[in-house]
Amino acid sequence: MDFEVNGETFTVAEDAAAHRFTVSHDGTVIGVADYIDREAGPDDTAEGAVRTFTHTEVSPEWGGRGLAAHLVRFALETSAEAGLKFRTTCSYVHNFLQKNTEFDAYVA
C-alpha cells in the first residue's frame, strides 16, 4: 500500500518470509516492524495464533516524518484482518497501542 508524506511516496508491505512488515522509498527498505507468530498460551486472551511485535525501526535519516506510525498501523490492521490477536515487546508498538484504542479488541 502506498501513502504520501510531504509529496514523497512510500510503500508499506508484509514480507511474510522474513516475518516483518516494511516501509520502502523508491524500492529501498527504510524501516521494519518485526514479528513472531506462535500459538496462544495460557496467559493470552486469544485462541489460535498470536503475533508478537518485537522490534520497529526506521532509518534515522527518514525519522520525524511519521513513517513508523504508518508502518505500525498497517502491520496492526493487516494482522487484525487476518484474524490474529497480537502482543508486543516493542516499546514503539506498545506506545502506539496505548494511543490507538481501536486495536484494544485484538490485544492478546
Side-chain angles (χ1 to χ4, degrees), residues 73-96:
R73 177 171 294 282
F74 178 78
L76 295 175
E77 288 174 346
T78 301
S79 300
E81 288 169 3
L84 297 170
K85 298 278 186 159
F86 34 80
R87 290 186 148 220
T88 186
T89 59
C90 170
S91 61
Y92 187 90
V93 175
H94 176 78
N95 291 333
F96 186 93

Side-chain angles (χ1 to χ4, degrees), residues 19-22 31-35 53 55-57 71-72 75 93:
H19 301 283
R20 64 178 26 174
F21 289 87
T22 61
V32 298
D34 295 324
Y35 64 84
F53 290 94
H55 180 72
T56 303
E57 181 177 358
L71 173 61
V72 168
V93 175

Side-chain angles (χ1 to χ4, degrees), residues 3-105:
F3 65 95
E4 278 196 28
V5 174
N6 297 330
E8 293 188 272
T9 302
F10 299 89
T11 303
V12 287
E14 182 176 7
D15 181 352
H19 301 283
R20 64 178 26 174
F21 289 87
T22 61
V23 60
S24 303
H25 182 265
D26 288 337
T28 300
V29 173
I30 59 171
V32 298
D34 295 324
Y35 64 84
I36 298 168
D37 288 341
R38 62 171 176 77
E39 287 302 309
D43 61 336
D44 293 314
T45 60
E47 295 179 11
V50 174
R51 177 163 287 169
T52 301
F53 290 94
T54 59
H55 180 72
T56 303
E57 181 177 358
V58 172
S59 297
E61 62 268 23
W62 293 99
R65 296 180 173 110
L67 301 179
H70 282 283
L71 173 61
V72 168
R73 177 171 294 282
F74 178 78
L76 295 175
E77 288 174 346
T78 301
S79 300
E81 288 169 3
L84 297 170
K85 298 278 186 159
F86 34 80
R87 290 186 148 220
T88 186
T89 59
C90 170
S91 61
Y92 187 90
V93 175
H94 176 78
N95 291 333
F96 186 93
L97 287 169
Q98 287 186 322
K99 295 175 186 173
N100 296 275
T101 58
E102 67 268 28
F103 295 106
D104 285 355

